[in-house]
Amino acid sequence: MTALSTTLSDRLQDPRLFRQYAYINGKWTHGEGGREEAVTDPATGEVLGHIPVLEDAQITAAVDAAEAAAAGWRALRADERSEILQKWYAQLHEHSEDLATIMTLEQGKSLDDSRGEVQYGASFIRWFAEEGKRTYGETIPSHMPNAALGSIKEPVGIAALITPWNFPLAMITRKAAAALAAGCPVINKPSNETPFTALALAELAERAGIPAGVYNVVLGEPAAVSKVLCAEPRIRALSFTGSTRVGELLMEQSAGTVKKLSMELGGNAPFIVGPDMDPTEAAQAAVAAKYQTSGQDCLAANRILVHESIHDAFIEAFKDSMSALKVGNGLEDGTDLGPLIHDKAVEKAQSIVDDAVQKGATLHESTQPPVAGDNFFMPVLLTGITREMKVWREENFAPVAGVLPYATDEEAIELANDTEYGLASYVYSNDMRRIWKIMRGLEFGLVSVNSVKMTGAPVPFGGVKESGLGREGGSTGIEEYLETKFFCLGGMPSASGS
Ligand SMILES: NC(=O)c1ccc[n+]([C@@H]2O[C@H](COP(=O)([O-])OP(=O)(O)OC[C@H]3O[C@@H](n4cnc5c(N)ncnc54)[C@H](O)[C@@H]3O)[C@@H](O)[C@H]2O)c1
Ligand SMILES: N[C@@H](CC=O)C(=O)O
């Protein structure tokens, strides 16, 4: 390892949380082929450390380990698994500041946002520790004489969890806690941009007493690792969070082994502002819904639809609010927006802005001076946009907002639904009838009315159309890792004579 690789551990109260190995069968594992990949701080370009690039046989070894551990984990009572998960939850709380530091260094988001994500991610562990105790089956009135019918819930088996870099902790715990509570061993493949948060979670899982083989983290070349996981018949569930492009690829690759699939994919959220709204209040909410995590959020309000009667006042207030956002290194006090994850993200953001301007949109820039650094991108607003522009059609995953005026509620609904995505949507209005009409008309899995914040452990989170399959969190999230087994007990004496 290079001298710089010690920098990250020097910043931690508990340096053992910084791991530069995969975690398989309870052991910290290097790559057998000797290959490594560097992980950099997107704010500075500094190398934070290295991760091993595992060979295919090592990915299969993780499946072997999970298979060997499966029977023991499944045999525990739900309340015994719950106790272990509660200990994992406590570990996250005890080490929350270190987890936030690791996250900010490798992802770039502000330290406050990272702290918030640690609490958010931990909340899924506590939630599923409780939900695991409530995986009820049912009794079924029999249609046959002398038979008793019913169903029980059983763990689906080994679950592979492939996760993104934008929420490096919560996207893991929302899956892993549900799978573990259901009785499934897990194999997490985190993003190569943010592996150290995932590895710290594994270290804390071990300290909490999650047995060897039940929790594994594999690393390597993403397409190669995912190919092995998808083709592996012993993996019975695949839960993926990431882009629609990769999600579709993984669905194809999993077809041959007919896995249970959960897909949390991309979004292109509309934000509808009714004519009855105060334009300043609505603009402040839209700015918050668009620029959080520098726009690198599947919930980001990309397409802002404002009633024509308040459009101009809304734009003025939006520009003021956008210009108040402080861009900088996430470790610095007062930073609202950190850098984008890498140079390709900056290039994509710039190409979306250029495309819109070239097709006639007006660009409004922040009044703050630009921040030096390759991956920093100042927040911008585009007005006068059309449906032909990339800013309308593509998930930009950057601090780029587009605003379009509309005249009627029907037009707002039609515009909002004009996308292959169907994850999150926002409605701002004080008119209950309008809210109800628009909410029912929106083809999205999540509708947030007069609130920027919509997520949390009790929420059935997920999208429709090409935004995905299944729901995470809430009372349904654990179902992604359970099978229903029907039973028919024949030859039974029956009190009712049936
Ligand atoms: N719906 C949700 O809950 C949700 C949450 C967070 C992010 N997202 C989406 O995730 C995307 C951003 O995250 P990202 O850039 O990490 O997504 P991504 O699809 O590029 O990567 C996600 C994961 O897939 C892996 N991967 C990348 N290329 C692969 C390939 N060719 N074969 C197999 N695996 C591959 C990555 O290493 C990573 O672990 C956005 O589209 C965002 O909307 C969705
Ligand atoms: N903010 C989302 C993740 C999307 O990128 C969430 O809370 O699940």
Side-chain angles (χ1 to χ4, degrees):
M1 303 295 160
T2 65
L4 276 176
S5 68
T6 57
T7 308
L8 199 158
S9 57
D10 289 347
R11 291 180 190 267
L12 304 180
Q13 291 156 23
D14 183 344
R16 283 192 308 138
L17 291 181
F18 176 45
R19 297 288 189 170
Q20 302 186 74
Y21 298 97
Y23 182 69
I24 298 173
N25 203 17
K27 295 190 181 68
W28 296 100
T29 309
H30 59 76
E32 279 170 1
R35 293 182 291 155
E36 283 189 338
E37 189 169 313
V39 180
T40 54
D41 176 346
T44 61
E46 175 190 336
V47 174
L48 296 169
H50 294 80
I51 50 168
V53 175
L54 301 187
E55 304 302 309
D56 287 2
Q58 294 185 280
I59 311 299
T60 303
V63 185
D64 295 342
E67 186 183 32
W73 186 247
R74 179 189 167 123
L76 291 180
R77 291 191 316 271
D79 63 296
E80 291 173 318
R81 287 195 294 266
S82 172
E83 272 178 33
I84 297 174
L85 286 172
Q86 294 283 7
K87 287 184 186 149
W88 194 28
Y89 169 78
Q91 286 289 331
L92 263 74
H93 268 279
E94 190 181 331
H95 298 283
S96 58
E97 203 54 27
D98 278 349
L99 289 168
T101 302
I102 295 172
M103 200 188 306
T104 291
L105 282 167
E106 65 180 0
Q107 201 283 338
K109 64 179 73 179
S110 75
L111 211 40
D112 273 353
D113 283 356
S114 294
R115 290 180 181 124
E117 187 181 336
V118 176
Q119 300 306 318
Y120 175 50
S123 75
F124 290 111
I125 302 177
R126 184 170 54 178
W127 176 267
F128 284 113
E130 292 301 325
E131 286 298 295
K133 293 185 269 183
R134 304 190 185 98
T135 55
Y136 301 118
E138 58 181 355
T139 53
I140 300 171
S142 178
H143 59 304
M144 298 184 290
N146 302 105
L149 313 183
S151 68
I152 52 173
K153 300 281 179 164
E154 294 187 338
V156 61
I158 303 169
L161 317 174
I162 303 182
T163 50
W165 49 263
N166 65 335
F167 283 79
L169 189 147
M171 297 302 99
I172 297 175
T173 54
R174 190 160 67 186
K175 297 177 191 306
L180 293 169
C184 303
V186 301
I187 301 173
N188 173 219
K189 194 216 81 63
S191 170
N192 284 7
E193 280 81 358
T194 55
F196 296 135
T197 306
L199 295 167
L201 276 179
E203 166 70 23
L204 297 178
E206 183 177 275
R207 292 183 195 182
I210 296 181
V214 172
Y215 196 99
N216 305 280
V217 182
V218 295
L219 301 161
E221 203 280 301
V225 175
S226 302
K227 211 167 164 185
V228 176
L229 295 174
C230 290
E232 175 55 71
R234 292 174 293 171
I235 294 180
R236 298 311 316 144
L238 171 69
S239 180
F240 171 74
T241 296
S243 62
T244 295
R245 180 186 68 80
V246 175
E248 287 171 353
L249 189 72
L250 299 180
M251 287 172 77
E252 275 174 37
Q253 291 179 356
S254 299
T257 51
V258 193
K259 297 188 198 316
K260 201 168 162 94
L261 296 178
S262 306
M263 292 281 145
E264 297 289 341
L265 308 178
N268 198 3
F271 188 106
I272 300 174
V273 183
D276 55 278
M277 276 305 293
D278 171 51
T280 303
E281 188 192 332
Q284 285 167 353
V287 164
K290 170 61 228 183
Y291 297 112
Q292 276 174 10
T293 326
S294 300
Q296 302 172 117
D297 192 327
C298 57
L299 306 178
N302 293 339
R303 301 175 301 134
I304 301 168
L305 306 170
V306 184
H307 193 266
E308 58 189 10
S309 61
I310 58 165
H311 175 267
D312 293 354
F314 177 93
I315 296 299
E316 287 314 307
F318 191 101
K319 287 194 290 187
D320 289 346
S321 201
M322 176 183 84
S323 292
L325 294 172
K326 185 169 175 270
V327 180
N329 187 316
L331 293 177
E332 285 164 14
D333 279 349
T335 293
D336 297 305
L337 309 189
L340 297 190
I341 191 71
H342 42 47
D343 53 353
K344 285 196 200 72
V346 174
E347 275 169 35
K348 181 178 171 191
Q350 192 57 53
S351 83
I352 284 172
V353 172
D354 292 346
D355 169 78
V357 171
Q358 191 221 321
K359 290 177 180 155
T362 303
L363 173 65
H364 307 269
E365 294 177 285
S366 167
T367 54
Q368 304 253 353
V371 173
D374 289 347
N375 295 338
F376 287 100
F377 195 92
M378 299 301 286
V380 297
L381 167 67
L382 291 159
T383 55
I385 66 168
T386 67
R387 301 188 201 213
E388 286 68 46
M389 296 176 183
K390 287 185 190 171
V391 68
W392 180 267
R393 302 240 67 89
E394 294 182 15
E395 178 186 37
N396 65 61
F397 235 53
V400 178
V403 175
L404 195 63
Y406 70 88
T408 64
D409 294 342
E410 288 69 24
E411 188 188 359
I413 295 169
E414 192 277 319
L415 283 164
N417 291 338
D418 178 31
T419 170
E420 68 269 31
Y421 295 108
L423 185 58
S425 56
Y426 302 81
V427 183
Y428 269 71
S429 170
N430 293 308
D431 179 335
M432 270 314 288
R433 286 163 185 260
R434 168 172 291 123
I435 290 170
W436 184 250
K437 179 165 68 171
I438 295 177
M439 194 184 89
R440 296 305 304 265
L442 288 172
E443 296 166 355
F444 292 83
L446 308 160
V447 183
S448 190
V449 178
N450 296 337
S451 176
V452 173
K453 181 165 169 46
M454 67 175 96
T455 54
V459 175
F461 188 98
V464 300
K465 293 160 76 177
E466 292 182 37
S467 284
L469 295 174
R471 294 293 179 270
E472 294 194 324
S475 57
T476 48
I478 199 164
E479 293 291 333
E480 307 287 327
Y481 304 95
L482 291 169
E483 291 286 15
T484 298
K485 180 178 277 177
F486 167 75
F487 64 82
C488 167
L489 304 179
M492 300 295 283
S494 165
S496 69
S498 63

